[in-house]
Amino acid sequence: MQKIQFIRHALAGALVAGFAASSTMAAEPIKIGVLTPLSGTYASLGQQVRWGVELATQEINAAGGIMGRQIVLLFEDEEANPAVATPKAEKLFQVEKVDFLTGTVNSGSTLAVGQVAERNDRLISTTVSFSDAITGDKCSPNVFRVNAKAGQQSVALAAWMSTAVPEAKVFYLGPDYEMGRSTVQAFKTAAEAKGAKTVGEVFAPLGNKDYSPFFGQIRAGHPNVMYTSVAGNDTVRLFNQLSEYGLSKNLTLVGASGTVTSQNLGAMGKAAEGFTTGVGYSVDLDTPANKAFVKAFQDMHKAAPDLYGADSYGVVYFYKAAVEKAQSTETAKVRTAMEGLEWMTPQGMKQMRAGDHQAVQDMYVTRLQDGKFSVLNKVGGKDAIGPDTCTRF
């Protein structure tokens, strides 16, 4: 009898211990690595990335987390430099054991970190990088993009320009790396298809201090439109110098989304007035979801969100929806759940295209007027995204 009672107690103890262990495992946090520029030329972009993921994480954790597990964010400074981003991504995967990684800004960094993700059997998503190659000819099964690529921005902007500036003569100035060259090419292709003429192009080093050596080439081309995809502090220097030298007076300034943001606008003032862009987000979108997001963002950070803040907020909800659909954080299961997934964002409902891991979303043309961006035009998501050119998976 005593032996039977002993066995019963032992079994009960084992069940309790097993339940406690499983509860502890279920309560382990989900780790998200945020590899973004926290210093240097693109630090203002990285700040919006940080603010966006922090707000979404705070909301999700307050509501019980993901499948009962809290999110922990682990930040690393990628300095917008692929050579810096790669070892830091390795550290986040190998040492910190993050379940998911986001935040890369530099398109070269995103491509390089994508290879690290493949080697470590982990998933990443960019919320900023524009290069079409990321979800095109250099696509990776482990890389997703929740923001609009250069081609989506360009289709919207070129459609507007074809009526606003008929027979446009366009000069292009981009930063001399993957994103700069690919965004220029994407807009050039879209603009020329609508009848625009290219009158010149130059590429400046990232972090360039003086753009005046390029001004002779701009004058020689006699453009009436200038397209640029510089960002951060580079935009401040370029636009202020264009204004100082009198070049912007007779130019319609257009460019990539993120060239002018709430983070660098104050340093340019009137020099940025009239800048027009194709973008996947505008703070003045008149929807309940966006109004609630903008208020929460401003309450938390005492600043307005831009497209990077909005998409970085959205990527955490994207990951949450995928994990809950997969009922797992295992890479293969989450990847499958992400493909074709629909989820709500401040911009409205987005869908992740399964074939190339590119988000389908409506695009807007916005112009800076009196220090604020206003929506001029809209292009539907399926009209803007273009064909799936990924062949790696």
Side-chain angles (χ1 to χ4, degrees):
M1 187 68 176
Q2 288 182 335
K3 187 172 184 180
I4 293 173
Q5 288 179 330
F6 174 80
I7 292 172
R8 284 176 179 168
H9 286 307
L11 286 172
L15 287 171
V16 170
F19 178 79
S22 63
S23 297
T24 300
M25 289 179 66
E28 286 181 359
I30 291 176
K31 295 181 180 181
I32 296 179
V34 186
L35 182 60
T36 200
L38 302 174
S39 61
T41 297
Y42 285 175
S44 61
L45 282 65
Q47 184 179 59
Q48 281 277 329
V49 170
R50 179 168 196 147
W51 284 347
V53 297
E54 285 179 338
L55 175 58
T57 297
Q58 182 186 76
E59 291 177 351
I60 292 169
N61 283 344
I66 301 176
M67 294 170 55
R69 299 170 63 185
Q70 296 284 286
I71 300 171
V72 172
L73 300 175
L74 299 171
F75 289 88
E76 289 284 350
D77 185 2
E78 66 128 325
E79 301 176 26
N81 184 340
V84 173
T86 302
K88 290 191 175 181
E90 198 77 58
K91 174 191 172 186
L92 286 167
F93 288 131
Q94 289 286 339
V95 180
E96 302 294 351
K97 305 295 183 184
V98 298
D99 299 285
F100 178 62
L101 190 146
T102 190
T104 50
V105 166
N106 182 305
S107 290
S109 294
T110 298
L111 290 167
V113 171
Q115 295 177 18
V116 179
E118 283 194 47
R119 290 197 301 270
N120 285 275
D121 191 31
R122 289 291 187 274
L123 300 175
I124 75 165
S125 176
T126 183
T127 65
V128 176
S129 298
F130 294 155
S131 172
D132 284 3
I134 292 166
T135 50
D137 61 354
K138 296 180 182 177
C139 58
S140 164
N142 290 45
V143 177
F144 291 78
R145 174 159 47 196
V146 301
N147 62 299
K149 62 181 179 178
Q152 290 165 284
Q153 301 170 28
S154 297
V155 166
L157 185 57
W160 167 83
M161 191 177 72
S162 66
T163 57
V165 191
E167 299 181 2
K169 296 179 290 183
V170 188
F171 192 96
Y172 296 86
L173 192 157
D176 192 11
Y177 75 105
E178 172 68 36
M179 182 279 284
R181 291 185 174 273
S182 64
T183 49
V184 163
Q185 185 57 51
F187 185 70
K188 185 190 297 185
T189 299
E192 289 179 349
K194 292 288 188 179
K197 180 182 178 182
T198 298
V199 297
E201 68 177 42
V202 294
F203 294 94
L206 189 63
N208 189 51
K209 299 294 189 295
D210 183 9
Y211 288 91
S212 62
F214 303 113
F215 291 171
Q217 292 169 262
I218 296 173
R219 289 193 179 94
H222 301 290
N224 56 5
V225 176
M226 180 173 169
Y227 174 93
T228 185
S229 52
V230 298
N233 295 331
D234 286 359
T235 307
V236 175
R237 289 185 283 266
L238 173 61
F239 279 27
N240 283 338
Q241 289 168 25
L242 284 171
S243 179
E244 289 169 13
Y245 281 79
L247 267 74
S248 56
K249 189 180 300 182
N250 299 315
L251 284 175
T252 296
L253 290 174
V254 302
S257 60
T259 292
V260 177
T261 70
S262 60
Q263 301 299 293
N264 62 9
L265 178 57
M268 291 179 285
K270 293 293 184 181
E273 188 74 5
F275 175 76
T276 307
T277 183
V279 66
Y281 174 75
S282 177
V283 74
D284 66 343
L285 291 180
D286 190 15
T287 65
N290 187 52
K291 288 179 179 179
F293 163 69
V294 171
K295 183 180 185 307
F297 194 99
Q298 290 178 325
D299 287 348
M300 184 173 182
H301 300 301
K302 313 306 178 189
D306 62 21
L307 71 160
Y308 303 130
D311 283 328
S312 298
Y313 174 88
V315 78
V316 186
Y317 279 97
F318 170 63
Y319 181 68
K320 175 181 183 290
V323 170
E324 290 175 344
K325 181 180 176 182
Q327 288 293 292
S328 173
T329 55
E330 292 179 24
T331 295
K333 292 179 180 179
V334 175
R335 182 195 295 115
T336 299
M338 286 178 169
E339 294 176 340
L341 183 69
E342 291 186 343
W343 79 105
M344 182 56 70
T345 74
Q347 297 99 311
M349 192 68 72
K350 289 189 184 183
Q351 181 182 40
M352 183 58 65
R353 190 160 68 173
D356 59 358
H357 297 176
Q358 174 63 53
V360 183
Q361 64 183 87
D362 292 340
M363 298 299 297
Y364 304 88
V365 175
T366 64
R367 170 181 280 172
L368 187 65
Q369 298 171 316
D370 299 322
K372 289 180 60 179
F373 277 103
S374 300
V375 175
L376 303 178
N377 198 14
K378 174 182 174 181
V379 176
K382 291 183 179 179
D383 294 326
I385 194 169
D388 172 3
T389 59
C390 174
T391 59
R392 286 201 60 212
F393 53 93

